[in-house]
């Protein structure tokens, strides 16, 4: 089966039921599409977010990052997956892996962009825990070395 054989209903079902947050936005950040994964991750329904501004998901201390991403997308550049922080409906900050790509119309003009966001909060928690344990071990080794000398 090649991509021309795939029914658009299949594509809609795949995006709707994907566990990652999938969004389609205009260049100004207005949300056009919000999947079930986005509802689960952020707590907002599609009805609440469609036609809304994606900036509501961006913490105040990440607004400069958001603006830089907007400029990249307006210049036709996609982003590789990178780690950042977003805000849920109930105000919690969550760690996400974010990928963005511009969407072009039939005349090759940029008309919007897609966003895929994956919750990496547990991975980040484990990384912080591992760093803390490594620092504790280093302290113990230093203390023990001093005792032996």
């Amino acid at each position: 089966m090649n991509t021309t054989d795939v029914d658009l209903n299949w594509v809609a079902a795949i995006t709707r039921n994907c566990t990652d947050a999938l969004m389609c936005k205009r260049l100004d950040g207005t949300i056009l599409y919000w999947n079930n994964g986005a509802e689960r991750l952020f707590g907002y329904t599609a009805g609440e977010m469609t036609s809304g501004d994606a900036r509501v998901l961006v913490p105040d201390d990440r607004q400069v990052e958001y603006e830089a991403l907007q400029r990249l997308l307006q210049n036709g550049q996609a982003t590789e997956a990178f780690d950042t922080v977003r805000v849920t409906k109930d105000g919690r900050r969550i760690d996400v892996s974010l990928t963005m790509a511009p969407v072009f119309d039939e005349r090759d003009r940029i008309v919007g962009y897609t966003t895929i966001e994956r919750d990496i909060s547990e991975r980040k928690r484990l990384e912080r825990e591992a760093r803390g344990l490594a620092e504790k071990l280093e302290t113990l080794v230093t203390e023990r070395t001093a005792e032996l000398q």
Side-chain angles (χ1 to χ4, degrees), residues 105-123:
D105 68 8
E106 62 281 346
R107 293 188 183 145
D108 226 19
R109 294 177 300 195
I110 302 167
V111 294
Y113 57 97
T114 61
T115 303
I116 302 172
E117 298 185 39
R118 175 172 287 168
D119 186 353
I120 58 168
S121 298
E122 181 64 9
R123 185 189 92 200

Side-chain angles (χ1 to χ4, degrees), residues 42-44 87-93:
F42 295 110
Y44 292 99
V87 179
T88 64
K89 183 177 181 177
D90 63 9
R92 288 179 302 114
R93 291 173 64 99

Side-chain angles (χ1 to χ4, degrees), residues 21-35 38 41-42 44-60 62-67 69-70 73 84-89 92 94 96 98-100 112-117:
L22 303 177
M23 295 164 245
C24 296
K25 305 169 190 169
R26 288 193 181 102
L27 283 176
D28 66 2
T30 302
I31 297 170
L32 301 172
Y33 177 78
W34 183 265
N35 79 332
L41 182 59
F42 295 110
Y44 292 99
T45 66
E48 290 174 299
M49 292 305 288
T50 304
S51 298
D53 190 341
R55 212 176 294 265
V56 70
L57 303 172
V58 182
D60 290 340
R62 299 287 177 137
Q63 291 295 324
V64 171
E65 173 190 270
Y66 181 83
E67 296 298 327
L69 289 170
Q70 293 292 101
L73 292 162
T84 190
V85 176
R86 291 296 179 255
V87 179
T88 64
K89 183 177 181 177
R92 288 179 302 114
I94 56 171
V96 298
L98 175 70
T99 305
M100 301 172 87
Y113 57 97
T114 61
T115 303
I116 302 172
E117 298 185 39

Side-chain angles (χ1 to χ4, degrees), residues 128-144:
R128 285 188 296 273
E129 187 177 308
R131 276 193 305 276
L133 290 171
E135 289 169 5
K136 184 176 182 179
L137 180 59
E138 187 175 321
T139 300
L140 290 172
V141 168
T142 302
E143 290 170 358
R144 183 67 177 142

